[in-house]
Amino acid sequence: MERNETEQILAQIMKKRSGIDFMKEKLLQDEKLLGHKIRMTARELLYAYLDIENAFEIKIPEIAITDGNFDTFSNMLHIVTEQLPQ
């Protein structure tokens, strides 16, 4: 899967869960999802996590969550890209 396709699928999931189109709102891609600009709820972030694992058929490493790296659209894209088969 190409990075652009991965980004589009992730953006669709995040639009559903956050209401933000990260493909159009590029400046928000590095903002904290639970922060004051995006204001996602922890519940919606959990649903996004499950949606991402199902859509890409991957397992997001626990360390990505516990280290706080699953916190922005850009970081999510990086994590998903790393987990996809080459």
Side-chain angles (χ1 to χ4, degrees):
M1 182 177 297
E2 292 185 23
R3 182 178 169 91
N4 189 42
E5 183 182 358
T6 303
E7 185 176 16
Q8 289 178 6
I9 294 168
L10 181 59
Q12 289 171 356
I13 292 168
M14 294 308 294
K15 185 174 183 180
K16 174 183 172 186
R17 295 297 174 190
S18 71
I20 295 172
D21 186 343
F22 286 96
M23 296 302 285
K24 291 182 181 175
E25 302 289 339
K26 296 279 187 185
L27 295 176
L28 294 178
Q29 288 187 358
D30 291 316
E31 292 292 332
K32 301 285 186 187
L33 298 169
L34 299 177
H36 70 280
K37 285 190 179 179
I38 297 178
R39 296 180 182 231
M40 245 181 117
T41 65
R43 180 184 313 229
E44 286 302 318
L45 185 57
L46 175 59
Y47 289 150
Y49 167 88
L50 296 171
D51 291 345
I52 291 165
E53 286 194 334
N54 289 329
F56 293 103
E57 298 179 345
I58 61 170
K59 179 71 177 136
I60 296 170
E62 185 177 329
I63 192 91
I65 307 301
T66 58
D67 283 357
N69 294 326
F70 195 76
D71 63 343
T72 68
F73 180 87
S74 295
N75 286 348
M76 286 177 159
L77 181 58
H78 179 74
I79 291 165
V80 168
T81 303
E82 283 187 338
Q83 298 307 309
L84 290 173
Q86 299 298 326

